[in-house]
Amino acid sequence: MKKTGTTRLRQLKNINVPIQDGIKKHMLCQNCENLFSIHEKWFCEKIFLPFLKDNSLNIQNTENLKYFIISILWRVVKYFKDDGNKYNFKSDLDRAENIWKNYLLHDNIVSEYENIHLILVDNSNFPNKETDLYFSRAVDIDIAENENMCFVYAKFSKFILIGEIKGFENKSFEKTNISLEKKFSSSNQIINDTTVFDFFKNRINQTKSYSDLSESQKKKNNEYHKNRYQNYTDGEYLKILNKHK
């Protein structure tokens, strides 16, 4: 994503703190880091970069893809589930974390919490800059829940990952389930669950802009980007800003 934007990523919850790619909390041994890195490199070269160039591409469902997706969602649930929040479905989150871990490390079959979705975002005509930037550029991770539903969420660039924990109807998603589909296309995927749409709306509303930065962070930001503008002119971020002028 850094190659297609301004190289600095920010979390939704703390706009004044730039972040690097990924979760920094130490949770993997060196062998596991190496194993995950192999799949991350594969995803970047075979899926991520080709899809950004052509959003009409069909993505074949392979074991490499499944492994990469579950590795991301496992890290998200591991990162958040013991963060002090009183999750309604804490026991399910604990169990999902363990089942996904055993798949990643021991190749165990994922027999529970197997409804995991890959949602692709195409170059749609989004209604405003905030929506466009969120679905095209934002990096976002969380555990989302209410009294009836819980899911693990990860989003980066034009890829959305959702791991069902509890409460979804059978027809909540169409053509997105990594346990069922042979290939994925942005042209035929459907989200039917209104709660998921409300979640997206909420995340978009939380997206912060330059005007929300502190004055000190604005100064640092201007200095950082002052001599780099020429490198950004072909990037997607500025294309989105120009489109919504």
Side-chain angles (χ1 to χ4, degrees):
M1 277 189 64
K2 290 183 178 181
K3 294 179 180 178
T4 63
T6 63
T7 76
R8 304 191 103 189
L9 307 177
R10 296 176 186 274
Q11 292 175 308
L12 296 182
K13 295 179 181 178
N14 193 349
I15 189 65
N16 290 308
V17 181
I19 61 173
Q20 300 297 318
D21 294 301
I23 298 171
K24 292 303 181 184
K25 180 180 178 181
H26 180 75
M27 60 180 71
L28 299 172
C29 66
Q30 189 58 53
N31 288 339
C32 294
E33 286 279 7
N34 293 339
L35 182 61
F36 282 22
S37 294
I38 291 171
H39 290 86
E40 289 165 2
K41 183 176 185 293
W42 173 89
F43 180 83
C44 180
E45 294 175 352
K46 302 297 183 181
I47 306 295
F48 183 83
L49 293 177
F51 185 77
L52 291 191
K53 290 181 180 179
D54 183 1
N55 298 160
S56 68
L57 286 178
N58 288 330
I59 294 178
Q60 299 300 313
N61 192 2
T62 65
E63 195 59 38
N64 278 331
L65 180 62
K66 181 179 179 181
Y67 190 100
F68 170 80
I69 291 171
I70 293 179
S71 76
I72 296 295
L73 294 177
W74 174 79
R75 278 175 278 190
V76 175
V77 73
K78 179 75 171 176
Y79 185 76
F80 281 114
K81 72 181 182 69
D82 296 312
D83 62 1
N85 285 308
K86 295 182 178 179
Y87 291 107
N88 296 325
F89 300 97
K90 178 61 163 59
S91 61
D92 286 286
L93 291 167
D94 287 337
R95 185 163 176 78
E97 186 263 322
N98 191 56
I99 288 172
W100 292 347
K101 179 183 70 175
N102 285 331
Y103 162 75
L104 295 170
L105 299 184
H106 307 297
D107 202 26
N108 289 8
I109 294 173
V110 180
S111 56
E112 295 180 69
Y113 310 104
E114 74 278 13
N115 290 322
I116 295 170
H117 304 276
L118 168 62
I119 301 162
L120 305 172
V121 180
D122 62 14
N123 288 323
S124 299
N125 292 317
F126 294 106
N128 53 56
K129 177 183 67 178
E130 290 74 21
T131 303
D132 201 342
L133 284 174
Y134 181 79
F135 282 111
S136 299
R137 295 289 311 164
V139 177
D140 193 7
I141 56 173
D142 213 342
I143 294 173
E145 69 165 19
N146 57 26
E147 63 276 11
N148 300 312
M149 177 185 291
C150 179
F151 61 91
V152 182
Y153 179 74
K155 188 208 164 294
F156 51 96
S157 188
K158 297 185 176 183
F159 299 83
I160 296 172
L161 312 179
I162 291 178
E164 295 185 24
I165 300 299
K166 207 79 170 180
F168 284 90
E169 300 291 336
N170 289 336
K171 291 294 184 180
S172 294
F173 302 90
E174 296 181 30
K175 305 295 184 182
T176 61
N177 196 319
I178 66 170
S179 297
L180 301 176
E181 304 302 324
K182 294 183 178 180
K183 61 183 178 180
F184 303 96
S185 171
S186 60
S187 65
N188 64 0
Q189 294 185 321
I190 300 173
I191 302 174
N192 295 314
D193 196 300
T194 56
T195 303
V196 175
F197 277 111
D198 288 341
F199 172 79
F200 287 147
K201 290 177 184 177
N202 178 263
R203 307 307 275 195
I204 293 166
N205 289 336
Q206 291 182 51
T207 303
K208 306 297 183 180
S209 66
Y210 177 82
S211 61
D212 296 301
L213 293 172
S214 66
E215 290 304 316
S216 62
Q217 191 59 46
K218 284 180 181 178
K219 183 177 180 180
K220 292 178 182 178
N221 198 70
N222 291 339
E223 286 296 318
Y224 179 85
H225 294 299
K226 182 169 62 177
N227 298 320
R228 293 174 171 83
Y229 181 81
Q230 190 61 41
N231 296 331
Y232 304 155
T233 53
D234 292 328
E236 184 179 31
Y237 183 79
L238 284 186
K239 289 179 182 177
I240 292 171
L241 296 184
N242 290 330
K243 184 168 65 174
H244 293 282
K245 280 185 176 180

